[in-house]
Amino acid sequence: METIIKKVNKSDIDKEVIEQAGQILKDGGLVAFPTETVYGLGANALNEEAAGKTYAAKGRPSDNPLIVHIAEFEALDKIVQNVPEKARLIAENFWPGPLTMIFNKSDVVPYGTTGGLDTVAVRMPDDPIARALIAAGGGYISAPSANTSGRPSPTAAEHVAADLSGKIDMIVDGGSVEIGVESTILDMTVEPPMILRPGAVTKEMLDKIIGEVTVDESLISDKSTEPPKAPGMKYRHYAPRAELIIVEGDSGETVKAIKQIAYEQVRLGYKVGIIASNETIGEYTVGIIKNIGSRENEKTVARNLYKILREFDDEEVDYIYSEAFPSEGIGTAIMNRLGKAAGHHVLAAGAITKLQKYRSI
Ligand code: TXA
Ligand code: MG
């Protein structure tokens, strides 16, 4: 299939393109579009067959449910059984925005969309192109991230094209996204509500509005024996092709440790990538060094993360070493995604530099 690619300007949206894309969605086709978090692969959420096409295009396991996107709060009633008071409060504060809530589904939502679950995930995105497209496509658009399953989520239309060209009907190119990591997922079917995936809307922000919010144990501890409650979180998502290793420690020690390992790996003939920051980039000497932004500005780090992982894929590096980043604000989401991409392979910088000292005696 030939994939149509159309550019749309956020501040002057081309109505004809949106109409065309909306018609494709209504006819059961697939359209990738920008949201403020990552690009989504849109389909009619109330059409079981369209859900099937989504799973096929992404190569996604069909037990991994899709998020239904709406353009206005009133649309919620039709697809859920009831809207708890707390959900109303949260919607007032964070919708439209990078937040997904889980509800008990109504009968109009097919099991094909929810991966066989009786619950449905719903999000109202803020991006104006996304909202126009959802409305034009009938108001209920399922949209997983528009990547091939297992690859980093797309933060620009080029990433979508690299993964899905020839497999979907259309890509609406709205430029690079704002946030760069997927939405926070909050389960409203349990009390207190539980965060199943961290994102730009943090636990602290939610606590302030509705009191206590809990966090899925499997997100906090590697040792949790419970599977993650969001089915998608159990997969080694966001995986770059290279082996990714996070190096943790104080800044000086981290740089020293990464330099040492990179030097040895390069000497052994491996192609090495390094994820560095504004503060440290000048200190690295070997390997392919990429700047993810200032450690002080976690928003920039979030925006650059998936793009950098894709660049390293394209350059076919064997190993990627990344500094660890502060866990404040969206930092929790950054370290969650980085940790998953690394298969939770984390090294302590102090141990490496000590080992090196011992070896050189
Ligand atoms: O920011 C985002 O949320 C992006 C943009 C496109 O909106 N979408 C996104 O979708 O990240 P996806 O499919 O890549 O991730 C959806 C996650 C998966 O981990 C899935 O298991 C979980 O949401 N999920 C969906 N429905 C669920 C449900 N009913 N119960 C628990 N988890 C659910
Ligand atoms: Mg995804």
Side-chain angles (χ1 to χ4, degrees):
M1 140 189 340
E2 176 93 36
T3 302
I4 307 163
I5 303 183
K6 288 271 167 79
K7 274 204 165 65
V8 172
N9 184 343
K10 233 177 254 192
S11 46
D12 180 19
I13 296 177
D14 185 335
K15 286 209 180 75
E16 262 175 47
V17 175
I18 298 297
E19 292 274 297
Q20 184 188 5
Q23 195 56 51
I24 293 173
L25 290 170
K26 282 182 176 160
D27 293 342
L30 302 181
V31 178
F33 62 98
T35 82
E36 69 275 27
T37 55
V38 299
Y39 271 72
L41 178 57
N44 180 350
L46 307 185
N47 174 342
E48 186 126 42
E49 215 177 294
K53 284 191 198 167
T54 308
Y55 288 107
K58 277 180 64 77
R60 172 168 170 137
S62 60
D63 68 343
N64 189 0
L66 310 174
I67 296 174
V68 179
H69 294 63
I70 56 176
E72 49 185 34
F73 184 72
E74 292 67 38
L76 190 57
D77 283 334
K78 182 172 150 185
I79 53 171
V80 307
Q81 281 183 18
N82 71 311
V83 182
E85 192 45 41
K86 282 185 180 176
R88 260 174 228 288
L89 276 172
I90 289 172
E92 265 168 38
N93 283 275
F94 301 110
W95 275 2
L99 176 83
T100 296
M101 284 191 272
I102 292 177
F103 301 93
N104 290 312
K105 79 174 192 71
S106 76
D107 290 340
V108 300
V109 185
Y111 283 113
T113 297
T114 65
L117 298 178
D118 288 313
T119 53
V120 61
V122 188
R123 168 157 119 83
M124 179 155 78
D126 187 33
D127 184 286
I129 298 173
R131 300 187 66 188
L133 183 63
I134 294 162
Y140 298 95
I141 302 300
S142 57
S145 47
N147 53 300
T148 298
S149 204
R151 295 216 62 205
S153 289
T155 54
E158 294 73 34
H159 303 161
V160 180
D163 283 11
L164 300 178
S165 252
K167 297 182 175 164
I168 63 177
D169 298 286
M170 185 170 178
I171 300 171
V172 178
D173 178 355
S176 288
V177 302
E178 276 294 310
I179 296 176
V181 295
E182 305 85 342
S183 62
T184 305
I185 300 179
L186 185 64
D187 187 353
M188 302 307 297
T189 68
V190 294
E191 186 49 45
M194 185 188 280
I195 294 176
L196 307 189
R197 178 173 75 181
V201 174
T202 63
K203 176 175 176 352
E204 293 68 34
M205 289 157 78
L206 293 165
D207 281 341
K208 245 187 237 159
I209 307 296
I210 55 163
E212 195 204 355
V213 164
T214 58
V215 178
D216 183 352
E217 179 66 25
S218 73
L219 295 178
I220 306 168
S221 163
D222 273 357
K223 290 169 203 76
S224 169
T225 49
E226 290 280 308
K229 297 199 167 47
M233 298 297 278
K234 72 173 178 277
Y235 298 105
R236 191 182 160 226
H237 246 187
Y238 327 111
R241 295 188 180 113
E243 195 171 324
L244 169 65
I245 297 119
I246 302 169
V247 181
E248 227 169 34
D250 73 48
S251 176
E253 216 156 33
T254 299
V255 171
K256 217 161 131 189
I258 293 179
K259 275 178 84 167
Q260 281 176 0
I261 315 173
Y263 179 79
E264 289 209 7
Q265 297 283 58
V266 168
R267 201 169 53 98
L268 291 169
Y270 292 113
K271 203 164 172 185
V272 172
I274 296 174
I275 301 183
S277 53
N278 274 0
E279 289 80 0
T280 57
I281 187 141
E283 300 184 48
Y284 295 107
T285 44
V286 296
I288 302 172
I289 306 151
K290 294 195 191 285
N291 187 353
I292 198 167
S294 168
R295 304 180 64 79
E296 305 285 306
N297 187 346
E298 69 268 17
K299 286 190 177 153
T300 311
V301 174
R303 202 178 296 136
N304 288 332
L305 176 63
Y306 288 143
K307 182 184 70 152
I308 286 185
L309 292 179
R310 274 183 185 262
E311 284 171 6
F312 279 136
D313 272 355
D314 294 343
E315 289 164 78
E316 297 182 329
V317 301
D318 302 300
Y319 292 94
I320 305 168
Y321 293 95
S322 177
E323 300 175 3
F325 297 95
S327 280
E328 280 124 55
I330 201 171
T332 310
I334 294 167
M335 288 313 293
N336 168 261
R337 307 306 196 275
L338 200 55
K340 279 162 67 71
H344 296 286
H345 193 161
V346 182
L347 295 178
I352 295 165
T353 44
K354 255 189 222 122
L355 183 69
Q356 199 66 22
K357 224 182 260 161
Y358 174 76
R359 273 210 216 145
S360 59
I361 292 171

